[in-house]
Amino acid sequence: MKKITTVSALRLLVADWKQAGKRIAFVPTMGNLHQGHLSLVSKATELADKVIVSIFVNPLQFDDKADLSAYPRTVEVDIEQLTSVECDAVFLPTAEIMYPEGMDRQTVITVPGMDDKLCGQARPGHFDGVATVVVKLFNMVQPDVAVFGEKDYQQLLLIKKMVADLNLPLKIIGLPTYREESGLAMSSRNQYLTSKQRKQAASIYRILNDIKTELLNGGADFVKLEQQAKDELTQLGFEPDYVEIRRARNLEPAKQSDKELRILLAARLGKARLIDNIPVTIQS
Ligand code: PAF
């Protein structure tokens, strides 16, 4: 596996591969890789001839400085893991490479309608930071396809919209959330949890599935279902941020007539802000 640290070296490698007619798949990450990330890389190997993974803890998407400095950085172990899953190159840029004029002077991408709801409300500027770094990475890597997890469902829709709005020449693939046996969605932030909190955190998936069961059984009072879930989270020791039943396509508030729904949840437990979501299809 090649380790690339500069944009010029990346461009040379990509140009060589393109000249040889190779298709390129890309998996952007912030490192601290777990099985969920590795499943994205495995999918990427099925979709293209060459796979590039980036590892960059993007300061532009952190609204909270303490959160940025606490974010786990485990590059050496990440590189070892990538070597075991047929990744062809890992791109490891620094903040100076990504934002040479500083973050204040960086051109920023805003994806309207996607950036200011749900997680965007609790984390102002977060999605501008995500969209900006992702479009920069796409321009550097020039992939044919990029793979993202559905765990960050709002991020996935935001990136799909950005790619469509800006006519970027690549396909975005979303993969189902990778879960621990308990149902807890895999996340780098899970390591902020104590072992007791980790067990508690598994209730998130159970609560999402309880709402799904209600919806499939004809439950139609979305506000009531959302409130019940928030109350239950509070009783279990979480600080709920939101529990929302939304239209899966664009995350607008769902109507009774909608068939493709997404239930999304964000809650704090101890030091961690946890997010999760599941799809629901209502049969007519
Ligand atoms: O999902 C993530 O890890 C990050 O938001 C991403 C897409 C790598 C951008 O920094």
Side-chain angles (χ1 to χ4, degrees), residues 28-30 37 56 58 61 126 130 133-134 148 152 155 159:
T29 80
M30 297 208 298
H37 294 111
F56 176 59
N58 173 31
Q61 71 187 74
H126 166 69
V130 170
V133 80
V134 168
F148 292 84
D152 296 299
Q155 169 175 285
I159 289 165

Side-chain angles (χ1 to χ4, degrees), residues 212 216 259-261 279-283:
K212 177 175 175 174
L216 292 176
K259 302 289 174 218
E260 296 297 336
L261 304 173
V280 186
T281 301
I282 308 290
Q283 306 295 341

Side-chain angles (χ1 to χ4, degrees), residues 163-213:
V163 164
D165 287 357
L166 300 180
N167 304 88
L168 300 181
L170 80 158
K171 197 167 172 190
I172 302 298
I173 302 289
L175 281 198
T177 303
Y178 206 92
R179 298 184 182 280
E180 294 183 3
E181 227 171 280
S182 67
L184 176 63
M186 286 208 182
S187 163
S188 302
R189 291 175 192 275
N190 292 351
Q191 58 193 270
Y192 301 152
L193 300 170
T194 62
S195 54
K196 185 173 165 223
Q197 288 169 338
R198 216 178 170 105
K199 283 190 194 126
Q200 262 174 292
S203 351
I204 289 180
Y205 188 51
R206 204 246 318 134
I207 290 173
L208 286 171
N209 276 296
D210 287 349
I211 302 177
K212 177 175 175 174
T213 306

